[in-house]
């Protein structure tokens, strides 16, 4: 069996840089950093979820520990569950907003969903 030759054929072709144009296709504007669009409504909602969830978790923990009158003791677990459901997304988005504000790498305001 005959082996194929991997050369390009004519080896007399000489390549050279094309002169005459200094334009490389880039403009300075595309390398400038644009100011971040801060989603104030979403951050406010995340803060409300975080605070309300924290309050409900604290109240249910006080009810379970007996520091508050457990007149309605059957409502402590649903109160804890609602508090956790509110706390988790609120804490997550407040953390992203804080890290974005401080300028940590890998965090930006684009990670927070916007509500128009």
């Amino acid at each position: 069996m005959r082996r194929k030759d991997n050369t390009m054929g004519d080896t007399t072709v000489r390549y050279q840089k094309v002169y005459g144009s200094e334009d490389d296709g880039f403009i300075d504007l595309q390398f400038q950093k644009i100011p971040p669009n801060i989603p104030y409504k979403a951050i406010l909602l995340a803060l409300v979820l975080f605070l309300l969830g924290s309050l409900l978790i604290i109240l249910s923990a006080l009810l379970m520990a007996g520091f508050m009158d457990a007149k309605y003791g059957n409502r402590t677990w649903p109160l804890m569950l609602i508090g956790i459901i509110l706390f988790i997304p609120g804490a997550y988005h407040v953390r992203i907003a804080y890290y974005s504000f401080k300028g940590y790498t890998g965090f930006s305001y684009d990670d927070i969903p916007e509500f128009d």
Side-chain angles (χ1 to χ4, degrees), residues 35-111:
N37 185 15
I38 302 173
Y40 291 110
K41 283 187 199 177
I43 293 173
L44 182 66
L45 177 64
L47 193 62
V48 167
L49 288 175
F50 174 71
L51 293 175
L52 191 60
S54 299
L55 179 70
L56 290 177
I57 290 172
I58 290 170
L59 284 176
S60 65
L62 289 175
L63 282 170
M64 286 182 202
F67 288 107
M68 295 177 68
D69 183 26
K71 183 178 179 182
Y72 303 104
N74 59 347
R75 296 183 183 169
T76 56
W77 286 109
L79 195 65
M80 175 72 86
L81 181 66
I82 292 171
I84 290 172
I85 289 173
L86 293 176
F87 177 80
I88 290 173
Y92 175 74
H93 287 99
V94 166
R95 185 183 127 243
I96 291 174
Y98 175 74
Y99 285 165
S100 299
F101 175 74
K102 289 300 232 177
Y104 287 108
T105 56
F107 292 94
S108 70
Y109 291 113
D110 295 331
D111 297 335

Side-chain angles (χ1 to χ4, degrees), residues 14-22:
R14 297 178 60 181
Y15 295 99
Q16 60 184 353
K17 185 176 180 181
V18 179
Y19 294 103
S21 175
E22 293 294 324

Side-chain angles (χ1 to χ4, degrees), residues 22-34:
E22 293 294 324
D23 183 25
D24 56 359
F26 298 106
I27 57 174
D28 292 336
L29 200 77
Q30 77 187 89
F31 296 109
Q32 291 178 354
K33 191 172 183 178
I34 57 172

